[in-house]
Amino acid sequence: QVFGLCSVAQVVLGRGDFGQQLSINLAFGIGVTLGIHAAGGISGAHLNAAITITHCILGNLPWRKLPAYVIGQFLGSFTAAATVFGFYYDALYNYTSGHFTVTGPNATASIFSTYPAPYVSLLGGFFSEFLATVMLILGILIIHDEKNNAALKGTQAMLVGIVVLGIGLGMGMNTGYAINPSRDLPPRVFTAIAGWGMDVFTAGHHWWWVPVTAPILGSLAGALIYKLFIDFHNQPVLESGNEKGQPALESS
């Protein structure tokens, strides 16, 4: 998450001279890829509380592990926000003259957490986060489904990062595509402590709860969609060794 938040800080504080929206999307995709490589062998790379909860509901992860995973995610995200704050503190102070605000021409809270665009209603923002998370979990399940056309071993982390990049490229304008409670809430708590105050929870019609709940519901809906339309229709690989979908060749 340090890569992603640093990229947002560079774009905002550099007033567009040191990057654009594309650089933010790329940085978050790279960060996800590296995070999966770093934690994949330890925890299965549970970087998203919504997906962790979904795996618990599906029976893929014991419920007793949920608190430790979510606490780890939140501590990591909080630390990332603190790291970016320290790294860009001088730039933040120069940009704001020491007045950290959530809204207005020199607002900087959006560096750390997501906020809806001015034209987006609360319902519209909720749907945006819901649908973006549906696309995220569908991409992850497709990439890792060994019964289907799974990705080549060793490429999964990069492809998940590309999925996040794709979501940012096409679905990021309305809400900033949080798609992860662990990515959004801990930095919001940090900004409340670090000088932005409780406005981070009241801005955008009390927007803060949407990036927490919508991704959880979106992840569950995406998993259900995958089960109904893909997983239930997967056929086991034939014992003869023929690949699924490949007709057997008749010998003369």
Side-chain angles (χ1 to χ4, degrees):
Q1 186 158 326
V2 170
F3 280 93
L5 297 185
C6 270
S7 68
V8 181
Q10 186 162 285
V11 171
V12 172
L13 302 179
R15 302 183 187 276
D17 293 333
F18 296 91
Q20 300 293 333
Q21 184 67 25
L22 177 59
S23 61
I24 296 174
N25 299 332
L26 287 169
F28 272 108
I30 292 169
V32 168
T33 297
L34 292 178
I36 294 172
H37 277 297
I42 299 172
S43 68
H46 281 259
L47 309 177
N48 187 329
I51 294 177
T52 300
I53 292 170
T54 299
H55 278 300
C56 288
I57 292 174
L58 293 176
N60 299 329
L61 183 72
W63 282 98
R64 58 183 173 80
K65 292 187 176 182
L66 178 64
Y69 278 29
V70 172
I71 290 171
Q73 293 163 9
F74 274 51
L75 288 176
S77 184
F78 188 92
T79 303
T83 301
V84 174
F85 178 79
F87 187 84
Y88 275 118
Y89 180 78
D90 291 338
L92 273 166
Y93 197 91
N94 177 71
Y95 184 86
T96 64
S97 299
H99 302 291
F100 299 156
T101 57
V102 178
T103 58
N106 289 328
T108 48
S110 61
I111 290 173
F112 300 90
S113 295
T114 63
Y115 294 86
Y119 58 83
V120 176
S121 66
L122 202 60
L123 180 60
F126 191 98
F127 180 70
S128 295
E129 286 294 326
F130 175 88
L131 185 58
T133 313
V134 168
M135 301 308 296
L136 173 66
I137 189 68
L138 285 175
I140 291 172
L141 292 174
I142 289 168
I143 289 167
H144 290 89
D145 190 351
E146 295 294 339
K147 294 187 296 181
N148 200 357
N149 189 22
L152 295 175
K153 186 177 181 180
T155 65
Q156 295 97 330
M158 180 184 66
L159 290 174
V160 173
I162 291 174
V163 170
V164 173
L165 169 62
I167 291 171
L169 290 174
M171 309 177 80
M173 186 172 74
N174 285 346
T175 63
Y177 71 110
I179 59 175
N180 181 358
S182 307
R183 171 262 178 272
D184 196 81
L185 183 57
R188 197 178 301 273
V189 173
F190 173 81
T191 51
I193 297 170
W196 282 265
M198 296 305 293
D199 286 350
V200 300
F201 292 104
T202 60
H205 304 288
H206 295 81
W207 168 257
W208 72 270
W209 64 271
V210 175
V212 175
T213 57
I216 295 174
L217 296 176
S219 181
L220 291 171
L224 177 62
I225 291 169
Y226 194 81
K227 286 285 185 183
L228 291 177
F229 293 99
I230 297 179
D231 192 47
F232 287 161
H233 302 281
N234 279 342
Q235 298 297 320
V237 177
L238 298 177
E239 292 182 2
S240 61
N242 292 325
E243 293 185 3
K244 184 165 44 179
Q246 296 288 339
L249 297 175
E250 293 183 359
S251 58
S252 60

